[in-house]
Amino acid sequence: MGKVIGIDLGTTNSVCAYMDRRDPVVIINAEGGRVTPSVVGISKNGERFVGDIAKRQLLINPEATIHSIKRFMGRRYSELKPHELEMVQYNLVETRNGDAGVEIGDRVYLPQEISAMVLQKLRKSAEDFLGEPVTEAVITVPAYFTDRQRQATKDAGTIAGLDVLRIINEPTAAALSYVHNRKKSSTIAVYDFGGGTFDISILEVDRDLAEVRATRGNNTLGGADIDRRIVEWLLGQFQKEHGIDVSEDKLVLQRLREAAERAKLELSSAHETDIHLPFLLADATGPKHLQCSLSRYTFESLATPLFDQTLEECRKALEECRLGPEDIDEVILVGGSSRIPKVQEMVKNLFDRPLNKGFNPDEVVAIGAAIQAGILEGDVKAVTLLDVTNFSLGIEVEGRRAAKLIPKNTTIPTQKTQLVSTVIDNQRTVKIHVLQGESPNARENVSLGEFELQGIEPAPRGVPRIQVKFAIDANGMVQVSAKDTRSGVSNAVSIEAPTGLSQVEIDELRQEHSNYDERGDESDDLKALRHQIEKQLVSLEGFLRDNRGFLHKKDIFEIEQALKRGRMALLKSSDKGNLDDLSLYLARFFAHLADKTGGGDAPVH
Ligand code: AMP
């Protein structure tokens, strides 16, 4: 198949890269940028804009322009903090299953769908750049993402038409960039301060090994929180001058937020910046403007409590791997917020050494993802990645307590088996509540879901021996299986987070979203035809996925060629005749496959 791309799906910006033989290359998007704003605009009639164009409409249409969606991925609405709800102008709502969703007009979008729109744009840029279909990717996530957030990211990739081969942690990706082409072994710290999250990881790296020793972070602490501190200060300035509280005015807030971010960026090089917002508000006494200056000193005093939180995490990470700052050979800075001079000064002082400035903090993660993609493709010499779990995994036991089974910082992949039994005579079912987190109190941890093992052989209580296996795979995702050892019956229990999307829902969304490959000017006929072909391709991909183990190499090759041909035509052709032919060809191809394999579900056409 085609190239596997590496994607850094960021809170503020996203970057996509691939390996050109042994060299990582950042993909340029349609607007000519190396970085694509993770912003999506949705018009009243459902049309969508992604990237720079969407970012530009943030001010004019803040309620239908979605930014920072990564903050809400895989999170329950009830766990969002008030300031997170206030941080955005669009309407966050609770979805049917308790997740946070975005309401625009009469439709509620899941964060996975919004992220899928950003991924779709990146995929399209990659296809245009490489001149071939792109269907596989490695996507990075903050090290501190929970299982549900990882799953949501993977689902977003699938909805965007990508087979997500691996989810890797952002700092681990940064370490891979560091290891690539380097011979020396060292202990490094990756300090990743982005738009919405903060992570610190300590790694041992060698020529062909990157071993994470500890990782900590806060997935609700980033540049947007710094901006918020400035916005609060600006609100105070306005109130002081005009005696008016404008903290409830959405449009004013959006203007303040933009001005705050601009001021923050300027203060990374200047010592003082002027903020001038004419006509911020008008009332009976006339228009009101905001005019003030913000010094770097004031900015630092507003934001230092946040910077302190990041340093506290660094100290704890060092403690967790029993190292002192002097044991760290290099500190690598990642993420836009690590450009702030005060942050650099504080990190430099903590580790007492110069910082490694040889990497572009915006691109180093995507480049690492591309290197991982190259390793999976076999083009790049393998680097053994030994990552760790970032949360403890456990189950709820009597008294609403949490019993830890896999402690945090355990190297992954890993697995652990636990024996459980029944509590009443002839009990046929056991229910297990899986938790992720550090608190001894079950309710203070993240619930990964409950599952049931049914059909246990009747027996007095305590007699059945049910073996429950917990495994964390290389993506950091949790899998659970259970077996009644007496009867030998094993029930395939997959841990279905109560808010997770089922495969069917993901496939439906994928088909729905494939209609919107930014081809707004096409006729309805052509759109319908594309949709039909996309459905045929999804069926064919599903057929290949489910039957790969039973098919001859020659058949696999033929199917891959048909998929490639289909994807390429979808990408390049706008000719109805061509697309009609393609749809017919796919229908016949599947009939031929069904003949060969003795029937099976024919794909839709
Ligand atoms: P990322 O998530 O890595 O794309 O980082 C985006 C965040 O970095 C946003 O909050 C930006 O405002 C912030 N950022 C980018 N460049 C700078 C800079 N030069 N100084 C301060 N913050 C920056």
Side-chain angles (χ1 to χ4, degrees):
M1 293 290 258
K3 276 270 155 218
V4 184
I5 53 172
I7 297 176
D8 170 10
L9 180 61
T11 310
T12 323
N13 295 305
S14 295
V15 181
C16 180
Y18 79 104
M19 289 305 280
D20 185 5
R21 291 170 209 239
R22 284 197 41 79
D23 297 319
V25 176
V26 170
I27 288 169
I28 312 291
N29 65 22
E31 293 72 39
R34 296 168 75 83
V35 159
T36 301
S38 310
V39 184
V40 172
I42 298 185
S43 72
K44 280 200 187 75
N45 53 11
E47 251 183 287
R48 58 184 67 156
F49 320 92
V50 182
D52 288 297
I53 177 167
K55 193 173 174 186
R56 281 199 292 273
Q57 70 147 37
L58 199 56
L59 199 58
I60 332 163
N61 195 5
E63 277 155 13
T65 311
I66 307 144
H67 61 93
S68 307
I69 196 65
K70 183 168 168 181
R71 275 190 110 113
F72 308 111
M73 289 277 280
R75 292 183 66 201
R76 289 173 159 284
Y77 183 80
S78 59
E79 73 189 28
L80 300 181
K81 303 183 182 121
H83 78 260
E84 290 182 286
L85 295 170
E86 284 162 19
M87 201 173 247
V88 297
Q89 258 63 51
Y90 49 86
N91 204 11
L92 279 164
V93 292
E94 183 164 6
T95 58
R96 247 181 318 126
N97 48 18
D99 259 3
V102 178
E103 187 179 52
I104 293 181
D106 50 11
R107 161 108 207 240
V108 174
Y109 294 86
L110 292 168
Q112 291 91 313
E113 287 180 83
I114 305 293
S115 286
M117 296 176 200
V118 176
L119 289 171
Q120 237 169 348
K121 158 103 181 160
L122 297 173
R123 195 191 85 182
K124 172 110 189 3
S125 297
E127 289 178 333
D128 290 345
F129 191 85
L130 297 168
E132 61 180 41
V134 171
T135 54
E136 294 172 316
V138 170
I139 304 182
T140 61
V141 293
Y144 228 54
F145 252 24
T146 62
D147 182 71
R148 302 179 80 251
Q149 290 169 303
R150 282 164 203 268
Q151 188 60 55
T153 305
K154 197 157 186 266
D155 293 348
T158 311
I159 295 168
L162 288 166
D163 191 2
V164 182
L165 301 186
R166 190 67 65 83
I167 294 278
I168 59 169
N169 290 336
E170 287 161 9
T172 313
L176 270 183
S177 300
Y178 178 86
V179 175
H180 189 61
N181 287 339
R182 213 167 288 246
K183 299 205 164 46
K184 226 173 80 195
S185 57
S186 34
T187 305
I188 63 170
V190 179
Y191 177 97
D192 181 355
F193 199 8
T197 56
F198 169 73
D199 283 343
I200 173 75
S201 294
I202 314 282
L203 299 102
E204 301 279 357
V205 296
D206 208 330
R207 250 191 309 185
D208 45 15
L209 179 78
E211 179 178 6
V212 182
R213 295 283 309 276
T215 179
R216 291 189 63 91
N218 181 338
N219 54 17
T220 57
L221 174 64
D225 301 275
I226 303 174
D227 301 346
R228 194 161 49 89
R229 296 270 162 132
I230 305 176
V231 168
E232 280 161 12
W233 182 81
L234 290 173
L235 285 170
Q237 296 297 111
F238 191 81
Q239 173 125 32
K240 229 190 282 169
E241 198 179 328
H242 301 288
I244 308 174
D245 174 11
V246 281
S247 59
E248 298 295 317
D249 186 320
K250 286 195 166 185
L251 206 56
V252 168
L253 278 180
Q254 184 52 35
R255 284 187 73 191
L256 291 180
R257 201 169 293 124
E258 289 199 351
E261 187 181 15
R262 241 186 344 263
K264 174 186 74 175
L265 300 186
E266 275 176 31
L267 289 172
S268 283
S269 48
H271 283 269
E272 187 162 276
T273 179
D274 286 333
I275 298 167
H276 178 45
L277 294 170
F279 302 98
L280 197 58
L281 199 78
D283 65 10
T285 60
K288 306 274 175 291
H289 318 297
L290 176 66
Q291 171 93 50
C292 57
S293 336
L294 177 61
S295 67
R296 192 186 276 186
Y297 178 80
T298 308
F299 162 68
E300 288 174 354
S301 56
L302 294 171
T304 296
L306 301 176
F307 305 158
D308 277 334
Q309 288 180 34
T310 71
L311 293 201
E312 192 48 32
E313 293 295 336
C314 295
R315 286 190 203 95
K316 286 185 180 154
L318 284 168
E319 253 169 51
E320 277 176 11
C321 52
R322 296 191 192 83
L323 293 176
E326 66 287 354
D327 297 313
I328 304 298
D329 299 309
E330 297 247 26
V331 181
I332 296 170
L333 297 180
V334 181
S337 303
S338 71
R339 288 211 164 93
I340 297 171
K342 183 71 180 173
V343 168
Q344 297 193 352
E345 179 195 315
M346 289 170 80
V347 176
K348 183 165 156 265
N349 288 344
L350 173 73
F351 290 98
D352 196 19
R353 72 199 48 249
L355 306 171
N356 184 327
K357 299 223 174 140
F359 294 93
N360 180 337
D362 295 329
E363 296 178 358
V364 62
V365 170
I367 286 174
I371 294 169
Q372 176 65 51
I375 294 172
L376 294 175
E377 285 175 304
D379 293 346
V380 179
K381 194 165 80 62
V383 175
T384 309
L385 266 189
L386 295 177
D387 221 322
V388 294
T389 62
N390 308 310
F391 296 95
S392 300
L393 183 71
I395 53 174
E396 182 171 341
V397 292
E398 242 184 310
R400 295 193 186 278
R401 283 174 308 113
K404 277 186 196 171
L405 297 181
I406 301 179
K408 71 175 290 201
N409 285 338
T410 302
T411 302
I412 55 170
T414 184
Q415 61 181 52
K416 170 99 194 223
T417 304
Q418 174 81 12
L419 277 179
V420 299
S421 192
T422 50
V423 287
I424 50 173
D425 291 342
N426 299 324
Q427 186 178 329
R428 303 297 308 267
T429 310
V430 287
K431 204 175 211 175
I432 293 182
H433 186 194
V434 185
L435 303 167
Q436 197 169 40
E438 309 314 314
S439 173
N441 179 346
R443 270 188 272 184
E444 287 171 6
N445 292 302
V446 173
S447 166
L448 291 189
E450 291 185 335
F451 73 86
E452 273 186 358
L453 178 67
Q454 292 168 345
I456 298 166
E457 265 192 14
R461 72 192 164 111
V463 171
R465 291 164 65 80
I466 296 143
Q467 205 176 50
V468 185
K469 194 163 100 188
F470 295 83
I472 303 182
D473 68 11
N475 298 316
M477 294 204 276
V478 180
Q479 286 156 356
V480 186
S481 59
K483 185 171 157 190
D484 178 357
T485 54
R486 241 163 48 103
S487 64
V489 170
S490 70
N491 235 6
V493 279
S494 64
I495 173 147
E496 188 91 358
T499 52
L501 289 169
S502 69
Q503 190 58 45
V504 174
E505 286 168 314
I506 293 171
D507 283 344
E508 276 171 13
L509 286 171
R510 178 176 169 176
Q511 277 170 23
E512 185 191 329
H513 284 264
S514 69
N515 271 346
Y516 289 95
D517 262 347
E518 297 202 5
R519 295 178 192 270
D521 51 342
E522 281 190 345
S523 69
D524 287 350
D525 272 4
L526 212 49
K527 276 189 191 149
L529 188 53
R530 280 189 189 288
H531 185 46
Q532 175 175 311
I533 294 174
E534 180 65 36
K535 274 163 84 178
Q536 290 174 308
L537 293 174
V538 167
S539 299
L540 202 51
E541 279 163 1
F543 177 84
L544 182 59
R545 197 171 50 230
D546 298 341
N547 296 292
R548 195 176 266 278
F550 313 107
L551 291 168
H552 287 297
K553 263 193 182 154
K554 194 171 143 283
D555 293 328
I556 294 177
F557 178 76
E558 262 185 27
I559 297 174
E560 285 178 347
Q561 289 304 309
L563 285 170
K564 194 169 178 173
R565 183 176 158 197
R567 292 261 164 237
M568 185 60 115
L570 264 192
L571 178 69
K572 297 276 166 209
S573 178
S574 292
D575 181 280
K576 187 164 178 309
N578 267 349
L579 293 175
D580 263 332
D581 287 350
L582 173 65
S583 179
L584 197 62
Y585 160 78
L586 287 171
R588 285 195 183 134
F589 181 71
F590 210 95
H592 151 78
L593 267 182
D595 273 353
K596 258 186 143 172
T597 52
D601 288 340
V604 275
H605 53 82

